[in-house]
């Protein structure tokens, strides 16, 4: 029969074993609290839990991510639309989030359907996002802003002609009580997909992680998280 002393030792060993088996990975994330970031983090927590990992997300600007990456202080990047072009970064080839890129205007009759149609306008966009730097590189007159509130206030004042941002930014328009002055054009310019990146030292996890993410895609979990997050943001608009 197992004595009380031996039983206590056994429980202690089991506890220690469980603690040591759970490794925490540190990922950089965006500072803006955008839907794409929220969805990505929720999806990754589920997928990595199935592999026995806990996650820590550290919000930071891209330059800080580059510095910490070069100093091997990060295990990965939560989500990016474009390749971050960092040494030893591996893309996990299952998209974990998406967003619609839209045009916001004061005049609903502006004939804008494609990025090229923006050339004759002064275009506001969020600062520090590769997607906008890339898509608007041929636009001669751009006005990047540090936050969404500034973007839409400048548009309302006529300092810019249009704003290009994710469609859920309409929530910011409503919070600013500008929905009678600023409108979102439809259809949107494009749908973008976000991918997770791992440092090459965790290359052995990529295939397993892709399997878990594909399962979450196939059973509708990722789509469900996306829809729930969008609804949550809409509720926060009022």
């Amino acid at each position: 029969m197992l004595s009380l002393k031996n039983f206590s030792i056994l429980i202690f060993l089991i506890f220690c074993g469980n603690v040591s088996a759970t490794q925490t990975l540190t990922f950089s994330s965006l500072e803006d609290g955008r839907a794409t970031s929220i969805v990505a983090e929720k999806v990754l927590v589920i997928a990595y839990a199935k592999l026995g990992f806990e996650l820590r997300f550290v919000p930071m600007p891209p330059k800080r991510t580059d510095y910490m990456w070069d100093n091997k202080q990060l295990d990965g990047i939560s989500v990016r639309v474009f390749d971050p072009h960092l040494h030893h970064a591996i893309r996990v080839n299952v998209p974990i989030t998406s967003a619609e890129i839209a045009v916001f205007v004061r005049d609903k009759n502006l004939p804008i359907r494609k990025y090229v149609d923006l050339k004759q306008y002064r275009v506001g966009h969020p600062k520090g996002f590769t997607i906008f730097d890339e898509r608007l590189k041929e636009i001669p007159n751009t006005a990047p802003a540090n936050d969404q509130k500034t973007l839409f206030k400048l548009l309302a004042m006529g300092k810019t002609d249009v704003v290009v941002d994710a469609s859920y930014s309409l929530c910011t328009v409503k919070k600013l009580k500008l929905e009678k002055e600023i409108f979102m054009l439809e259809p949107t310019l494009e749908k973008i997909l976000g991918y997770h990146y791992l440092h090459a030292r965790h290359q052995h996890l990529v295939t397993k992680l892709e399997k878990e993410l594909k399962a979450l895609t196939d059973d509708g979990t990722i789509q469900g998280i996306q829809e729930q997050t969008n609804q949550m943001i809409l509720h926060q608009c009022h």
Side-chain angles (χ1 to χ4, degrees):
M1 182 178 292
L2 191 65
S3 68
L4 180 61
K5 179 180 179 181
N6 289 337
F7 179 75
S8 299
I9 294 173
L10 178 62
I11 292 297
F12 174 76
L13 291 174
I14 291 174
F15 176 77
C16 290
N18 286 339
V19 169
S20 62
T22 303
Q23 182 180 347
T24 299
L25 300 176
T26 300
F27 298 147
S28 69
S29 64
L30 298 175
E31 297 178 295
D32 59 358
R34 287 170 171 254
T36 46
S37 300
I38 297 170
V39 172
E41 291 178 15
K42 289 181 177 180
V43 169
L44 291 174
V45 165
I46 295 172
Y48 275 101
K50 294 184 178 183
L51 300 179
F53 292 89
E54 293 182 353
L55 305 180
R56 184 170 73 101
F57 297 98
V58 183
M60 63 182 72
K63 287 186 178 180
R64 180 66 179 171
T65 295
D66 295 349
Y67 174 81
M68 292 187 68
W69 188 271
D70 290 341
N71 286 277
K72 299 181 180 180
Q73 295 174 310
L74 293 173
D75 297 297
I77 299 170
S78 61
V79 64
R80 288 284 178 89
V81 173
F82 280 94
D83 187 338
H85 298 297
L86 295 172
H87 293 298
H88 309 300
I90 301 174
R91 191 178 89 165
V92 179
N93 287 316
V94 179
I96 57 175
T97 186
S98 64
E100 299 280 345
I101 303 300
V103 177
F104 297 85
V105 298
R106 297 188 310 278
D107 180 358
K108 289 187 286 187
N109 297 313
L110 291 184
I112 300 172
R113 296 292 179 269
K114 299 176 291 186
Y115 286 102
V116 69
D117 297 333
L118 296 167
K119 283 190 174 183
Q120 60 183 302
Y121 304 107
R122 181 165 173 77
V123 181
H125 67 87
K127 185 178 182 180
F129 290 85
T130 307
I131 176 66
F132 299 114
D133 294 337
E134 175 66 25
R135 293 294 192 262
L136 301 174
K137 64 184 179 182
E138 301 297 330
I139 307 302
N141 195 356
T142 60
N146 290 322
D147 60 83
Q148 289 179 328
K149 288 184 178 180
T150 301
L151 272 178
F152 292 113
K153 286 179 179 178
L154 290 173
L155 178 59
M157 291 187 294
K159 301 293 185 181
T160 57
D161 301 311
V162 303
V163 162
V164 175
D165 201 355
S167 59
Y168 52 72
S169 299
L170 189 60
C171 182
T172 301
V173 174
K174 293 180 178 179
K175 285 182 177 179
L176 293 171
K177 302 187 185 303
L178 293 173
E179 61 266 41
K180 292 183 179 180
E181 301 174 50
I182 295 176
F183 311 94
M184 185 178 79
L185 296 182
E186 294 185 280
T188 58
L189 292 173
E190 66 172 321
K191 180 179 181 178
I192 57 173
L193 301 176
Y195 293 85
H196 175 51
Y197 287 82
L198 269 174
H199 194 282
R201 67 178 177 273
H202 297 300
Q203 186 171 2
H204 62 286
L205 294 176
V206 173
T207 301
K208 296 177 183 178
L209 184 59
E210 287 179 342
K211 181 180 178 181
E212 295 297 341
L213 291 173
K214 188 176 186 306
L216 294 176
T217 300
D218 293 343
D219 69 11
T221 298
I222 293 180
Q223 181 63 31
I225 292 173
Q226 185 90 47
E227 292 172 357
Q228 289 171 7
T229 302
N230 290 341
Q231 287 299 316
M232 177 191 73
I233 290 175
L234 284 175
H235 285 313
Q236 293 175 350
C237 291
H238 305 290

